[in-house]
Amino acid sequence: VMFYRLLSIVQRQRTSPGWQNWSSARSSASVAKAHSIALPTQTQVVICGGGVMGTSVAYHLSKMGWKDIVLLEQGRLAAGSTRFCAGILSTARHLTVEQKMADYSNKLYHQLEQETGIQTGYIRTGSICLAQTQDRLISLKRINSRLNVIGIPSEIISPKKVAELHPFLNVHDLVGAMHVPEDAVVSSADVALALASAASQNGVQIYDRTTVLHVMVKKGQVTGVETDKGQIECQYFVNCAGQWAYELGLSNEEPVSIPLHACEHFYLLTRPLETPLQSNTPTVVDADGRIYIRNWQGGILSGGFEKNPKPIFTEGKNQLEIQNLQEDWDHFEPLLSSLLRRMPELETLEIVKLVNCPETFTPDMRCIMGESPVVQGYFVLAGMNSAGLSFGGGAGKYLAEWMVHGYPSENVWELDLKRFGALQSSRTFLRHRVMEVMPLIYDLKVPRWDFQTGRQLRTSPLYDRLDAQGARWMEKHGFERPKYFVPPDKDLLALEQSKTFYKPDWFDIVESEVKCCKEAVCVIDMSSFTKFEITSTGDQALEILQYLFSNDLDVPVGHIVHTGMLNDGGGYENDCSIARLSKRSFFMISPTDQQVHCWAWLKKHMPQDSNLLLEDVTWKYTALNLIGPRAVDVLSELSYAPMTPDHFPSLFCKEMSVGYANGIRVMSMTHTGEPGFMLYIPIEYALHVYNEVMSVGQKYGIRNAGYYALRSLRIEKFFAFWGQDLNTLTTPLECGRESRVKLDKGMDFIGRDALLHQRQNGVYKRFTMFILDDHDTDLDLWPWWGEPIYRNGQYVGNTTSSAYSYTLERHVCLGFVHNFSEDTGEEQVVTADFINRGEYEIDIGGHRFQAKAKLYPVASLYTHKRRKDDVELSDLHGK
Amino acid sequence: SGPRAAPSGILLHPSKVVREAPGRGRAACLRSGIPVRSSSLPLFSDAMPAPTQLFFPLIRNCELSRIYGTVCYCHHKHLCCSSPYFPQSRLRYTPHPAYATFCRPKENWWQYTQGRRYASTPQKFYLTPPQVNSILKANEYSFKVPEFDGKNVSSVLGFDSNQLPANAPIEDRRSAATCLQTRGMLLGVFDGHAGCACSQAVSERLFYYIAVSLLPHETLLEIENAVESGRALLPILQWHKHPNDYFSKEASKLYFNSLRTYWQELIDLNTGESTDIDVKEALINAFKRLDNDISLEAQVGDPNSFLNYLVLRVAFSGATACVAHVDGVDLHVANTGDSRAMLGVQEEDGSWSAVTLSNDHNAQNERELERLKLEHPKNEAKSVVKQDRLLGLLMPFRAFGDVKFKWSIDLQKRVIESGPDQLNDNEYTKFIPPNYYTPPYLTAEPEVTYHRLRPQDKFLVLATDGLWETMHRQDVVRIVGEYLTGMHHQQPIAVGGYKVTLGQMHGLLTERRTKMSSVFEDQNAATHLIRHAVGNNEFGTVDHERLSKMLSLPEELARMYRDDITIIVVQFNSHVVGAYQNQE
């Protein structure tokens, strides 16, 4: 019944010619029956939201065999942002996973009409991204080379070619463009209706005019939803409520934080040109002009992302604000100017209207999907940063896989809800941050940019001290971390302004910090690391950790173990260091952004046992990394204890006194492979210990260093970092960490079977280090991450991180090498031999550089010794 | 100053010219002005490019006959010909030779400029926009009433104030304070003449007199007891001052003693009957009492010679005052003189209208003319107001100080003779106004207007006549209103069903943006208003070139083109005002 009703809506709509008439057509059709149908009392999945996201999730779940699904929509199907969407499907995205989602969506929508019989208005127009500056062209070239390797055709074209592709474009100020011929335009509302009708045919029940009030939760598990039409019991709930997802998340008794915020978004519709624009005229994205332009019924549709966005619905759904969503021409003026500059001939074109349709944005411009860290069975797909139509199909597919299989087929950590914590859920933070994010959509994205808003939320107690010494800051998970320290004689203003794809201006600053780490001693504030303590009354802590981690944790007290926290597939859920503080208590150090994810994973797998205690002690400790050959001297002088390897072997942890302060956890490890110590200091002692270290360290040439130095050091040593190099789809065997896996530790652990299987059959990708050969650091584009890797001219993978090695005086890129069959494209086993016998190139913005592949770090880095005759007078200067 | 000083003084005070009937003015100018004009012409034509450029386009717009009549003042005439309300008065005294030296103790301006050798290198006085802004913003001040628990319960949101000097030093003053022992806020502008001594004194003292007048008996007793027993005093006023707004340290003790005497009398006079204090009465009493104290202090003198000279300078100079007291929805305006309080009202359609809350006390006010005639014998009817001035001399008909118009001739002579030499040598102080038969001719008693605030009353503009003589009140209110409400109340554009092309829309929007960009240049409504007052061209938009020229006039010339301007813009909290209304 539902299906036919939907069809009738769609068909009636077809007959009405105009864009504006849609809402009335739809409302008249759907009002009648909606009320007469009673809701079911029980189902497996409830999806909230009848836009492109909700219908896509329903479509894919039902395709994958889940039939017992109810989709609830508070208004009418495809009525929210989906109805007003500009209908542009663009695959030119910055993240590979986003490109893949958009590519899948494109293919899905293309065949949807055939599958469902519902016209979606799909037209393959292609799209042209314009570059007014050389930097923009570099950015496009980078996207272009990444699109090509995943099989999306695209090319960089000249302004002259642009003029041939589009009749009205003013190309005089262009330096180039990127043409993606398979991009399309489509009616998003029709796509949603088609997906809904297909889902409905597969058994999904759809109810409109039904509002979800809140989700019922028992013992951290979804049990049902409360709607204005009654309750439904269910195991899974999917929040696809678009801009209302935040409010809906907060309405639970145990709130689910979904950080997103809406901004007003404007686009313009015009009447047809005298000779109407061809329906296959390409879509134009002029990011430097902040606008997009597509053909619309012979005229044009043009909108953009202005510099001064208007955030809306900060306090939730507000009728007054909804009514006030009017055309704001004064606000649109810069975009209109930009449009007329790009297409001067449009001056005489008559306006139909200016559409105001709020769009949803997230704090880091990436969409939000995945399961809530606090409520099991609560899934989210929202916050599309105005790319909902492009991502809709792919995102719906990944989420459906996630629900059905427990994990999606792609690495989606970049989009995972768990990358955020509760600290990103403040309304003030979101309001301020989205005002920065929305313009960023068309801003030039250069390496190593940092958000300016919502900063200084979490800081170390040393923040002011370091800031006064010239620290420049970056933010991770709300925590301020020093990037590098500007020496007093540097021109600060100039340093802050420059954005470049080439050699950055902090190059020399970081070099001196790296040098100091190699030759003397540096101190780096690493307080942002996630720190957990697991204690128990008996052996429970050891038992559960042995089950959750791949390395053997049954080590003598005081030892530190590097280990992965793996999933069933053997992939890294987390990569951490665990110190055994006592027989029954462990101290666990994970990357900063693991705070939510790791906690959720541990909670999910730990038995309900009051004798087993998990505590987040991140805030209790300030972490200082003393790094460099003289660290041992500084520390022994401060503690009056011998710190030589005989007394304090590597990977060892001891509570000791430093200066006047007692109870400092000193660990003989660094995260870069350099000699040194980590000091975990109760925060009240932080300033004291820091001051002592700095004053005693003076004579050893101590100085502050930041994360850029750390990054250079760890990458040249081939150290993989979780979140950048490692993810849920990479296993220890694929990155040469067999030694950190104890398959025979005498008990089962998560992922063991997969690893055994892999050990038997070999790995399908291999973490490799590349040293760029013919790359000129001063003149060539710098690698960033995500650059395609070519082996003997064949694409084999992408880089995951890169840095300049001051020791090797070369750029080092890390990345995974695959072995795609030349005939079928299927993945094959990668052996060390396969790696070693290839000629490699890295593609940076369309230019390929030769690279040497290495599976093991460069040995000379560890035996750095200065020759006698290399000593200079300057070595006697304080650093 | 040489023999040429006297005639030139006359020429340079355009007030005379404009004030007088055209024929007479022309005659006066021709008589005295021509020789000077000719002597200074070379200066105008090449050494002073800025003023010359100002003149010529303006002259083009004027009839020839007027040019003679108005000489260098003609551009103001031109600017204000649409506004019949004010005869453009610069200085308040007829430029009698003796006054000129008193008002302007410096050398005459042309000697000054010649000394700077402008003539040798013709240079343009052209200020960049940042320079213009730094001049305009030098005295700006803003105060926001602090919010408690996110809610501001005061009916006043805050105020913006600013002043632009034309005299050197500026003779205008401003004050703003919150009453701490009673509710309400006091704001006032004071326009001094014959120096700034009186306006300075009034700006420091008047609010204390008002606050004391408003205090209930018990509080007065408490304060007096505290003074008596040496305990800490209750604070009465919270001042909101720009750093340039100074208080005189030397006279502080003297002023306090006078104030204390006042409240002691209030305590003594208290009959214990009515506890209700009438704001209107309090304002009138405070004005009169302060003026009385100024007069008395000058008569009594002070053993300290500096203070003695100060109190005399205060008494012999003058000041008008326009003070607003806002307490909830009750707005009282007490006015003495020709400054003005204007209420900005937003109509339902979003447009702005001006409601005047004060009457000017000058020759344009029939009732004032009537009052003066009634207060003096019939035979003085012709002489009491002559040439639109009190006794042919003074523009405002009410003012603080100005004892020359208040004391008997006897008293004036006695005080001057016993006074310090500086006073005795001064031509001006010795000069007795003509037809001075039945003093006092002048009073400081204010006219008090009451207005009950309504939600549509968005702001109040208090300003000295420097503003009102260059701008029509309707324009003032519109400019401030559009500024305060920003873009939002510029009527939004909707395409509706009209045929509009992209090009037409673009043109319209660009025009609107240019208009708005001038608004966003200022963070202060008063600054914005001054920018318009000084820089407006004939189309009512700010013309940077003009602004730049007006602001780069040398000190000595500035007074010819504009008066001191002082503005306070008080913004009301419509929500709170609305809530008051609903309560009742």
Side-chain angles (χ1 to χ4, degrees):
Chain A
V1 176
M2 189 58 61
F3 171 57
Y4 290 116
R5 190 164 68 78
L6 275 168
L7 262 190
S8 72
I9 299 165
V10 174
Q11 276 154 5
R12 189 174 306 196
Q13 218 177 276
R14 280 283 127 230
T15 60
S16 66
W19 183 277
Q20 311 92 298
N21 302 331
W22 285 12
S23 61
S24 55
R26 194 171 294 126
S27 64
S28 61
S30 51
V31 172
K33 287 178 190 168
H35 296 286
S36 57
I37 303 162
L39 290 181
T41 56
Q42 201 181 348
T43 182
Q44 188 187 7
V45 182
V46 169
I47 299 170
C48 172
V52 98
M53 290 301 148
T55 54
S56 173
V57 172
Y59 172 88
H60 286 99
L61 278 177
S62 66
K63 281 249 158 157
M64 293 170 78
W66 283 21
K67 307 285 185 192
D68 193 7
I69 298 166
V70 171
L71 189 150
L72 304 176
E73 161 60 46
Q74 60 172 354
R76 296 177 299 273
L77 273 186
S81 300
T82 298
R83 182 164 81 89
F84 288 114
C85 174
I88 298 169
L89 200 153
S90 158
T91 50
R93 304 283 163 190
H94 286 273
L95 292 181
T96 300
V97 65
E98 290 177 343
Q99 292 174 349
K100 286 182 176 167
M101 287 196 300
D103 187 41
Y104 173 84
S105 304
N106 195 354
K107 289 173 176 139
L108 175 71
Y109 302 161
H110 182 53
Q111 54 85 43
L112 208 54
E113 192 169 323
Q114 204 179 8
E115 182 185 339
T116 62
I118 295 173
Q119 286 181 17
T120 57
Y122 183 97
I123 302 166
R124 184 156 280 177
T125 58
S127 68
I128 310 171
C129 301
L130 308 181
Q132 292 185 27
T133 64
Q134 288 297 341
D135 272 351
R136 175 71 63 185
L137 195 60
I138 291 169
S139 174
L140 291 177
K141 281 176 177 169
R142 292 182 57 94
I143 293 173
N144 182 59
S145 47
R146 291 168 71 169
L147 280 176
N148 287 335
V149 297
I150 60 167
I152 301 173
S154 68
E155 62 173 332
I156 298 294
I157 57 175
S158 66
K160 204 175 141 203
K161 184 79 196 297
V162 173
E164 286 167 23
L165 286 168
H166 198 290
F168 300 117
L169 281 184
N170 166 21
V171 297
H172 298 301
D173 56 346
L174 300 183
V175 296
M178 177 173 74
H179 183 218
V180 188
E182 289 186 4
D183 278 355
V185 296
V186 63
S187 156
S188 52
D190 289 339
V191 163
L193 289 171
L195 290 171
S197 80
S200 170
Q201 254 179 329
N202 281 334
V204 175
Q205 295 169 274
I206 298 171
Y207 298 88
D208 60 4
R209 299 186 171 273
T210 308
T211 307
V212 174
L213 300 175
H214 63 261
V215 176
M216 297 179 291
V217 177
K218 222 173 246 164
K219 288 183 185 165
Q221 168 77 41
V222 170
T223 58
V225 295
E226 176 88 51
T227 76
D228 59 347
K229 305 254 169 67
Q231 289 187 354
I232 308 177
E233 280 180 36
C234 65
Q235 290 140 268
Y236 293 94
F237 175 75
V238 187
N239 183 341
C240 298
Q243 54 206 8
W244 316 122
Y246 174 83
E247 293 296 322
L248 183 57
L250 291 187
S251 67
N252 294 353
E253 216 167 290
E254 177 147 21
V256 175
S257 160
I258 305 163
L260 49 81
H261 194 289
C263 285
E264 291 179 50
H265 175 62
F266 297 90
Y267 63 79
L268 170 83
L269 297 174
T270 74
R271 300 221 176 278
L273 280 88
E274 255 176 58
T275 36
L277 213 55
Q278 298 262 309
S279 64
N280 62 355
T281 311
T283 299
V284 174
V285 176
D286 181 3
D288 296 308
R290 305 198 155 273
I291 50 164
Y292 56 80
I293 310 157
R294 59 161 280 198
N295 71 308
W296 181 73
Q297 299 187 356
I300 60 139
L301 178 161
S302 173
F305 298 97
E306 64 272 22
K307 275 191 189 144
N308 52 338
K310 294 164 77 176
I312 191 171
F313 304 133
T314 306
E315 291 161 41
K317 201 170 196 168
N318 181 330
Q319 279 307 321
L320 199 71
E321 283 184 316
I322 293 175
Q323 281 158 15
N324 281 339
L325 278 178
Q326 283 160 355
E327 45 191 331
D328 185 342
W329 279 100
D330 292 301
H331 191 70
F332 194 71
E333 188 269 336
L335 300 181
L336 179 60
S337 301
S338 181
L339 171 66
L340 290 177
R341 207 175 314 128
R342 186 55 54 217
M343 298 193 182
E345 287 171 57
L346 297 189
E347 282 228 332
T348 54
L349 207 54
E350 199 184 311
I351 297 166
V352 172
K353 71 189 290 193
L354 185 67
V355 181
N356 181 354
C357 54
E359 287 280 356
T360 316
F361 298 89
T362 61
D364 59 359
M365 215 178 53
R366 296 168 182 177
C367 74
I368 296 173
M369 64 161 73
E371 192 176 10
S372 155
V374 288
V375 180
Q376 284 187 38
Y378 193 117
F379 282 82
V380 179
L381 183 57
M384 288 298 146
N385 299 294
S386 74
L389 180 68
S390 298
F391 295 158
K397 180 181 132 204
Y398 290 150
L399 193 80
E401 287 171 351
W402 202 327
M403 293 172 69
V404 174
H405 303 312
Y407 50 88
S409 59
E410 270 292 326
N411 166 45
V412 294
W413 168 245
E414 284 138 325
L415 316 177
D416 194 333
L417 171 63
K418 296 195 202 71
R419 73 189 186 272
F420 295 118
L423 54 102
Q424 278 98 346
S425 68
S426 140
R427 288 179 205 264
T428 317
F429 167 79
L430 289 171
R431 184 181 170 89
H432 289 185
R433 176 56 71 80
V434 295
M435 287 175 74
E436 185 182 358
V437 165
M438 180 168 157
L440 203 59
I441 286 181
Y442 277 169
D443 279 345
L444 194 64
K445 280 165 222 54
V446 295
R448 298 164 288 264
W449 49 266
D450 298 297
F451 285 105
Q452 302 298 310
T453 52
R455 294 290 296 271
Q456 290 180 323
L457 181 56
R458 301 167 77 203
T459 58
S460 139
L462 303 176
Y463 180 86
D464 282 349
R465 283 298 308 272
L466 301 180
D467 198 57
Q469 294 176 77
R472 290 291 170 272
W473 301 92
M474 62 197 272
E475 169 244 18
K476 186 95 183 184
H477 206 66
F479 212 110
E480 297 292 333
R481 315 196 293 183
K483 292 192 283 197
Y484 49 82
F485 287 79
V486 179
D489 52 338
K490 275 270 176 184
D491 183 359
L492 305 184
L493 266 179
L495 206 62
E496 296 297 283
Q497 298 302 322
S498 61
K499 289 181 166 183
T500 179
F501 289 98
Y502 293 90
K503 180 177 161 182
D505 44 16
W506 43 255
F507 185 84
D508 299 336
I509 297 175
V510 174
E511 177 172 27
S512 59
E513 287 177 10
V514 165
K515 237 185 170 163
C516 189
C517 288
K518 294 260 176 197
E519 297 170 8
V521 54
C522 278
V523 54
I524 305 182
D525 184 347
M526 298 177 71
S527 307
S528 68
F529 275 179
T530 300
K531 303 172 270 286
F532 291 162
E533 256 176 37
I534 301 150
T535 45
S536 61
T537 50
D539 283 340
Q540 299 97 321
L542 178 65
E543 275 168 28
I544 187 66
L545 292 181
Q546 285 286 51
Y547 175 65
L548 290 175
F549 292 90
S550 59
N551 209 337
D552 189 0
L553 290 165
D554 195 4
V555 289
V557 170
H559 278 250
I560 302 169
V561 177
H562 291 308
T563 178
M565 184 173 83
L566 308 183
N567 53 32
D568 285 327
Y572 275 103
E573 289 293 330
N574 186 6
D575 183 30
C576 45
S577 308
I578 298 179
R580 190 164 194 182
L581 299 175
S582 72
K583 274 262 169 232
R584 286 156 192 167
S585 96
F586 295 84
F587 187 69
M588 178 177 162
I589 303 147
S590 329
T592 309
D593 47 5
Q594 275 280 359
Q595 197 169 18
V596 178
H597 176 73
C598 181
W599 179 266
W601 183 270
L602 291 174
K603 275 282 169 193
K604 189 171 165 182
H605 290 92
M606 274 172 46
Q608 287 290 334
D609 183 349
S610 58
N611 294 321
L612 181 61
L613 190 72
L614 173 66
E615 194 190 355
D616 184 346
V617 294
T618 302
W619 61 275
K620 283 189 181 172
Y621 292 94
T622 296
L624 287 183
N625 190 0
L626 279 181
I627 183 170
R630 311 309 297 267
V632 59
D633 301 306
V634 175
L635 215 51
S636 52
E637 193 165 320
L638 272 174
S639 57
Y640 287 96
M643 303 294 292
T644 53
D646 307 338
H647 298 89
F648 208 126
S650 180
L651 289 181
F652 201 70
C653 168
K654 198 150 77 176
E655 276 202 7
M656 51 192 285
S657 61
V658 176
Y660 300 156
N662 230 330
I664 313 294
R665 282 181 191 161
V666 177
M667 302 185 188
S668 50
M669 60 175 269
T670 62
H671 296 269
T672 58
E674 297 293 329
F677 296 89
M678 286 295 303
L679 271 52
Y680 285 89
I681 310 158
I683 52 166
E684 67 266 37
Y685 300 139
L687 198 61
H688 171 75
V689 172
Y690 176 79
N691 288 342
E692 289 295 303
V693 164
M694 289 310 269
S695 78
V696 167
Q698 202 113 49
K699 62 172 173 274
Y700 301 106
I702 200 166
R703 58 171 291 166
N704 291 299
Y707 269 73
Y708 283 4
L710 193 81
R711 186 183 158 78
S712 167
L713 287 168
R714 71 103 178 157
I715 287 178
E716 72 179 15
K717 296 243 174 40
F718 200 14
F719 270 42
F721 258 34
W722 194 93
Q724 272 172 334
D725 308 305
L726 307 181
N727 60 44
T728 53
L729 296 180
T730 51
T731 71
L733 302 188
E734 290 163 352
C735 53
R737 290 185 169 182
E738 291 85 352
S739 62
R740 295 190 186 178
V741 178
K742 297 288 184 305
L743 290 168
D744 311 316
K745 67 178 171 183
M747 64 177 293
D748 191 24
F749 59 89
I750 299 179
R752 182 166 180 267
D753 293 342
L755 294 183
L756 274 173
H757 182 262
Q758 228 177 22
R759 191 170 69 171
Q760 198 115 38
N761 299 313
V763 294
Y764 287 88
K765 59 176 182 277
R766 189 68 203 254
F767 195 51
T768 313
M769 171 159 113
F770 296 95
I771 299 168
L772 296 190
D773 266 346
D774 56 347
H775 183 272
D776 187 325
T777 307
D778 291 320
L779 299 178
D780 285 326
L781 282 178
W782 272 34
W784 186 1
W785 57 270
E787 291 88 11
I789 303 166
Y790 291 88
R791 178 184 177 275
N792 300 340
Q794 295 290 314
Y795 167 71
V796 289
N798 289 60
T799 63
T800 50
S801 56
S802 74
Y804 182 79
S805 162
Y806 293 92
T807 331
L808 301 172
E809 295 180 333
R810 284 271 179 281
H811 258 289
V812 175
C813 300
L814 307 182
F816 283 91
V817 171
H818 301 250
N819 180 4
F820 300 109
S821 156
E822 272 183 49
D823 309 324
T824 60
E826 245 177 89
E827 288 196 52
Q828 298 171 324
V829 170
V830 177
T831 60
D833 195 42
F834 177 82
I835 302 280
N836 291 334
R837 288 193 3 194
E839 296 283 323
Y840 290 90
E841 287 171 310
I842 309 281
D843 177 335
I844 307 174
H847 190 288
R848 291 190 190 180
F849 295 93
Q850 287 169 16
K852 274 201 192 71
K854 294 201 170 287
L855 283 173
Y856 300 98
V858 182
S860 64
L861 290 175
Y862 287 97
T863 53
H864 179 81
K865 278 222 175 80
R866 191 195 296 278
R867 290 210 311 271
K868 247 188 218 159
D869 41 338
D870 278 352
V871 180
E872 298 172 19
L873 193 63
S874 69
D875 294 316
L876 299 174
H877 293 312
K879 296 289 184 313
Chain B
S1 43
R4 281 193 312 196
S8 72
I10 295 172
L11 171 72
L12 288 177
H13 297 310
S15 49
K16 166 169 187 156
V17 177
V18 181
R19 180 182 50 75
E20 285 170 357
R24 291 185 60 125
R26 188 162 67 232
C29 265
L30 284 170
R31 247 196 336 269
S32 54
I34 283 171
V36 180
R37 213 177 154 239
S38 57
S39 75
S40 60
L41 252 178
L43 263 175
F44 274 95
S45 53
D46 52 71
M48 308 284 289
T52 337
Q53 279 173 4
L54 267 175
F55 294 148
F56 289 126
L58 295 163
I59 286 173
R60 248 186 282 128
N61 292 329
C62 291
E63 303 153 43
L64 198 65
S65 64
R66 273 218 195 128
I67 296 174
Y68 283 97
T70 54
V71 196
C72 44
Y73 189 67
C74 63
H75 89 275
H76 258 296
K77 182 86 182 165
H78 163 68
L79 257 186
C80 304
C81 53
S82 62
S83 149
Y85 298 88
F86 292 93
Q88 278 64 40
S89 142
R90 309 279 91 189
L91 282 181
R92 289 162 205 284
Y93 292 96
T94 315
H96 184 280
Y99 297 3
T101 46
F102 180 82
C103 302
R104 220 164 265 283
K106 283 183 191 164
E107 293 81 349
N108 296 288
W109 65 273
W110 68 87
Q111 292 174 331
Y112 206 74
T113 44
Q114 268 173 338
R116 289 189 196 158
R117 292 173 183 270
Y118 280 128
S120 53
T121 46
Q123 65 186 99
K124 303 252 177 206
F125 294 103
Y126 190 79
L127 301 175
T128 61
Q131 285 175 315
V132 164
N133 283 343
S134 77
I135 293 174
L136 287 180
K137 294 178 182 194
N139 291 318
E140 73 179 12
Y141 177 79
S142 286
F143 174 75
K144 269 206 169 89
V145 175
E147 299 189 355
F148 296 102
D149 294 336
K151 278 175 186 155
N152 175 2
V153 290
S154 164
S155 58
V156 173
L157 279 174
F159 69 85
D160 289 341
S161 78
N162 198 355
Q163 27 183 219
L164 181 70
N167 292 300
I170 185 168
E171 293 176 350
D172 278 7
R173 291 294 183 271
R174 59 183 158 170
S175 292
T178 305
C179 300
L180 296 177
Q181 300 305 324
T182 55
R183 293 175 313 167
M185 196 166 184
L186 286 164
L187 305 115
V189 293
F190 312 98
D191 185 351
H193 46 261
C196 60
C198 186
S199 52
Q200 174 64 33
V202 173
S203 76
E204 292 177 42
R205 305 176 70 183
L206 181 58
F207 286 8
Y208 279 112
Y209 280 76
I210 296 172
V212 162
S213 309
L214 287 167
L215 287 180
H217 183 66
E218 305 77 49
T219 318
L220 287 174
L221 268 180
E222 199 180 329
I223 295 173
E224 173 58 23
N225 288 338
V227 175
E228 197 55 45
S229 56
R231 279 184 284 117
L233 296 184
L234 284 176
I236 299 177
L237 290 176
Q238 177 71 52
W239 291 94
H240 312 299
K241 288 197 311 187
H242 186 275
N244 291 356
D245 299 342
Y246 62 94
F247 276 5
S248 133
K249 275 214 174 66
E250 297 80 2
S252 175
K253 184 71 197 152
L254 174 75
Y255 291 167
F256 175 78
N257 286 337
S258 298
L259 184 69
R260 186 180 174 195
T261 314
Y262 176 41
W263 81 54
Q264 283 170 338
E265 283 180 35
L266 286 178
I267 292 170
D268 293 343
L269 285 173
N270 182 273
T271 52
E273 279 170 17
S274 81
T275 49
D276 271 0
I277 288 166
D278 181 42
V279 179
K280 179 175 175 175
E281 209 174 304
L283 285 165
I284 295 175
N285 289 341
F287 272 61
K288 285 163 74 174
R289 176 69 187 207
L290 173 59
D291 193 47
N292 206 36
D293 282 356
I294 288 172
S295 170
L296 271 177
E297 284 155 9
Q299 290 173 44
V300 173
D302 195 283
N304 175 325
S305 64
F306 178 85
L307 277 184
N308 195 33
Y309 185 43
L310 178 73
V311 294
L312 286 167
R313 274 189 299 145
V314 169
F316 276 90
S317 60
T320 72
C322 186
V323 174
H325 177 262
V326 196
D327 175 11
V329 287
D330 298 321
L331 168 63
H332 287 87
V333 174
N335 184 47
T336 285
D338 56 3
S339 292
R340 227 189 257 178
M342 195 68 65
L343 194 64
V345 182
Q346 189 167 32
E347 305 296 344
E348 273 180 21
D349 64 358
S351 67
W352 293 95
S353 59
V355 172
T356 316
L357 290 184
S358 62
N359 296 313
D360 301 341
H361 301 135
N362 59 17
Q364 275 61 49
N365 184 339
E366 285 296 328
R367 293 222 315 275
E368 281 295 288
L369 285 170
E370 207 54 35
R371 174 180 68 83
L372 276 169
K373 279 174 190 163
L374 282 175
E375 283 175 2
H376 298 278
K378 273 229 171 77
N379 57 359
E380 286 187 50
K382 283 218 170 111
S383 63
V384 69
V385 176
K386 247 178 145 175
Q387 297 164 2
D388 283 353
R389 294 184 178 229
L390 188 65
L391 298 177
L393 295 172
L394 190 63
M395 282 288 299
F397 289 180
R398 302 189 193 193
F400 282 93
D402 282 328
V403 290
K404 296 182 62 59
F405 298 87
K406 290 174 180 165
W407 290 352
S408 66
I409 297 178
D410 246 18
L411 181 58
Q412 290 189 36
K413 281 188 172 156
R414 215 166 353 112
V415 169
I416 291 168
E417 274 163 25
S418 63
D421 294 343
Q422 299 106 305
L423 196 69
N424 227 349
D425 293 344
N426 193 308
E427 294 277 332
Y428 162 72
T429 42
K430 281 192 197 157
F431 173 80
I432 302 290
N435 305 313
Y436 198 77
Y437 309 120
T438 52
Y441 286 90
L442 191 64
T443 175
E445 178 171 339
E447 203 173 349
V448 179
T449 323
Y450 171 74
H451 179 80
R452 194 184 151 79
L453 287 174
R454 306 156 298 169
Q456 63 265 41
D457 301 332
K458 300 299 181 188
F459 59 87
L460 178 74
V461 180
L462 297 174
T464 54
D465 63 341
L467 174 73
W468 305 112
E469 64 197 19
T470 56
M471 273 179 106
H472 190 267
R473 60 197 185 119
Q474 191 59 45
D475 292 331
V476 167
V477 164
R478 182 183 52 76
I479 287 167
V480 174
E482 283 175 4
Y483 170 82
L484 290 179
T485 49
M487 199 100 153
H488 300 291
H489 288 269
Q490 192 174 16
Q491 281 297 317
I493 305 181
V495 178
Y498 298 102
K499 283 193 169 186
V500 186
T501 68
L502 289 177
Q504 288 167 335
M505 179 59 88
H506 185 230
L508 187 63
L509 294 175
T510 321
E511 194 181 301
R512 280 159 69 93
R513 199 184 46 160
T514 341
K515 208 167 150 194
M516 289 320 290
S517 65
S518 77
V519 169
F520 291 119
E521 215 168 345
D522 298 316
Q523 279 83 51
N524 183 304
T527 311
H528 186 63
L529 206 43
I530 292 179
R531 188 186 297 278
H532 275 272
V534 179
N536 262 7
N537 59 18
E538 49 268 60
F539 308 111
T541 52
V542 176
D543 174 351
H544 174 75
E545 202 176 330
R546 183 190 167 86
L547 193 57
S548 158
K549 281 169 189 163
M550 289 295 280
L551 294 178
S552 58
L553 291 171
E555 228 169 54
E556 305 76 24
L557 274 182
R559 188 60 186 82
M560 291 164 51
Y561 295 96
R562 50 185 166 86
D563 193 358
D564 292 340
I565 299 178
T566 298
I567 300 173
I568 300 179
V569 178
V570 192
Q571 224 185 318
F572 298 119
N573 188 337
S574 300
H575 296 290
V576 173
V577 170
Y580 268 107
Q581 227 174 22
N582 293 339
Q583 274 171 20
E584 290 153 26

